[in-house]
Amino acid sequence: MSRKASLSGFHEWLPAERIVEQHVLDTLRNTFELHGFSSIETRAVETLGQLLRKGEIDKEVYAVSRLQADTEHGAAKTQKAQDAQDPNRLALHFDLTVPFARYVVENAGHLSFPFRRYQIQKVWRGERPQEGRAREFTQADIDVVGDGTLPFRSDVDVALVMAEALGALPIGDFTIRINNRKLAEGFYRGLGLEDTAGVLRNIDKLEKIGADEVSRLLQSELGATEGQAAQALALAAIRTEDTSFVEQVRALGVTHELLEEGLEELAGVVGELHRRAPGRAVADLSIARGLDYYTGTVYETVLVGHEQLGSICSGGRYDALASKGNRTFPGVGLSIGVTRLMMRIFSQEMARASRSVPTAVYIALTHDDDWSAAQDTAQSLRGRGIPAEVAVSAEKFGKQIKYADKRGIPFVWFTSVGEDGTAAHQVKDIRSGEQVDADPATWTPPAEDLRPQVLAT
């Protein structure tokens, strides 16, 4: 965006941009609800102890404290609230999955499982602002959570829902890249590499630093042989649009029980997506996902032609993030980086609003004394769902029309009162210049003019 923000990393859209964002959010919301997902909202803060269960992101967390700390017995300030290591200190949530896991545990007695939830909220992350990365941003998540067990079909379900939701947005082509943690970890163990988390962390750097550097790190940091590193990279190079990846993996000659389980699961997801959403998904065995709570299927989504932006939608299966005593709540979910999408939509002019205001009709005034009667006309239009506003003063008609045109309002309404006190109404389409008689009780604009339209460009 060429417009400079007063506070870097915190975006404030202009009215026309906000209309596009609202269209995106409404589309996602409607799709999620069509598939039976219920909306929830969680609090903005969690304890550090809860948030940092997710992995090594402590440098990105915004901690929260009052300017005046609590006092003990009316005396000195407590230092505990200011202690950066205190697990009970409050911090802004940096994603929606960890708060959701806490929400499920606390409300398990009131939920029906499997619980299907969607959540669209702001999150905060202290990273360097750039296109695709902000410090305050909106995420749109869906998750399915079970009580004790969760059928594998949920892994397929969330991917199909996201393919449908993203396909309804003005973003062009996209590809959902899918892998499976069991497949990867089983393969590494079959190779004799037991630090599977370490291998995954390095494979996750593949697109940034290249195969040679990843090979060097696997050997120098994890003690892999040159042959083991080559096999790990060979696995990461496999990419297919159908289930043919299974034969390619087996051709590498590595065997392990966990590997077979992962192959079966990944084939189930990719096979169903290939049938129901052809061209939308690929098996990509380089996808690792750096977050350590994923246990099975993992997803990343890129815009075709905008791969340098990174993933716009990611997630996966987690079996141990939420638990209460001996009770566990496995889940699987996906998260769309809405703000990341909006930044690219605007910077590349991928979509625009047909106008910057919701108003469809601007009611002009002939005399200042007509304002109350004009409000009656506006009320009649609004009662039938037509957005209308009334001029605040009776300036020359040309000036009132120019004002409406500047704001993108398509219709201007005129009222004249005859000698007998009868009101006559006309409405003008200021784009075409056509002006016709109109009745406030029956006139309706064309459907495409009733609300601002979002147009893909």
Side-chain angles (χ1 to χ4, degrees), residues 260-340:
E260 289 301 316
E261 188 176 341
L263 281 171
E264 181 180 354
E265 290 186 357
L266 184 57
V269 177
V270 173
E272 191 66 16
L273 279 165
H274 183 63
R275 186 171 78 87
R276 293 189 174 275
R280 293 300 198 191
V282 298
D284 187 337
L285 305 197
S286 69
I287 300 301
R289 300 294 301 145
L291 306 174
D292 57 11
Y293 63 70
Y294 291 123
T295 56
T297 312
V298 287
Y299 318 84
E300 287 192 355
T301 308
V302 295
L303 293 181
V304 175
H306 305 270
E307 288 80 4
Q308 73 280 6
L309 182 65
S311 179
I312 59 160
C313 174
S314 57
R317 161 76 73 141
Y318 49 91
D319 288 324
L321 187 62
S323 61
K324 187 176 184 178
N326 294 327
R327 193 176 177 187
T328 60
F329 303 95
V332 61
L334 278 160
S335 174
I336 295 177
V338 175
T339 301
R340 173 174 287 196

Side-chain angles (χ1 to χ4, degrees), residues 192-224:
L193 298 172
E194 292 303 319
D195 185 2
T196 58
V199 179
L200 282 168
R201 281 194 299 272
N202 283 294
I203 292 296
D204 201 30
K205 303 173 184 176
L206 191 57
E207 291 185 354
K208 293 182 179 179
I209 64 177
D212 290 344
E213 182 63 13
V214 169
S215 177
R216 187 190 69 78
L217 290 174
L218 290 174
Q219 294 175 64
S220 63
E221 294 184 359
L222 301 178

Side-chain angles (χ1 to χ4, degrees), residues 346-419:
F346 297 144
S347 68
Q348 301 298 310
E349 299 181 347
M350 299 168 73
R352 63 175 179 83
S354 60
R355 61 181 189 262
S356 62
V357 295
T359 310
V361 181
Y362 187 74
I363 301 173
L365 294 180
T366 304
H367 306 287
D368 281 334
D369 292 344
D370 296 337
W371 188 83
S372 183
Q375 288 289 351
D376 293 337
T377 299
Q379 184 175 352
S380 178
L381 293 172
R382 293 174 193 142
R384 294 185 294 109
I386 303 170
E389 63 179 274
V390 178
V392 296
S393 61
E395 300 178 295
K396 293 181 178 180
F397 281 155
K399 193 168 184 179
Q400 294 185 68
I401 292 171
K402 185 176 181 180
Y403 175 76
D405 185 45
K406 182 178 179 180
R407 297 182 62 214
I409 301 172
F411 298 97
V412 176
W413 193 281
F414 303 99
T415 303
S416 60
V417 180
E419 293 182 359

Side-chain angles (χ1 to χ4, degrees), residues 152-186:
F152 171 72
R153 285 178 177 171
S154 295
D155 293 40
V156 184
D157 189 20
V158 295
L160 288 170
V161 173
M162 276 302 185
E164 181 177 328
L166 292 172
L169 301 181
I171 58 175
D173 290 335
F174 60 88
T175 302
I176 303 175
R177 303 160 68 188
I178 310 172
N179 197 4
N180 190 288
R181 278 286 183 87
K182 295 176 185 177
L183 187 163
E185 292 181 15

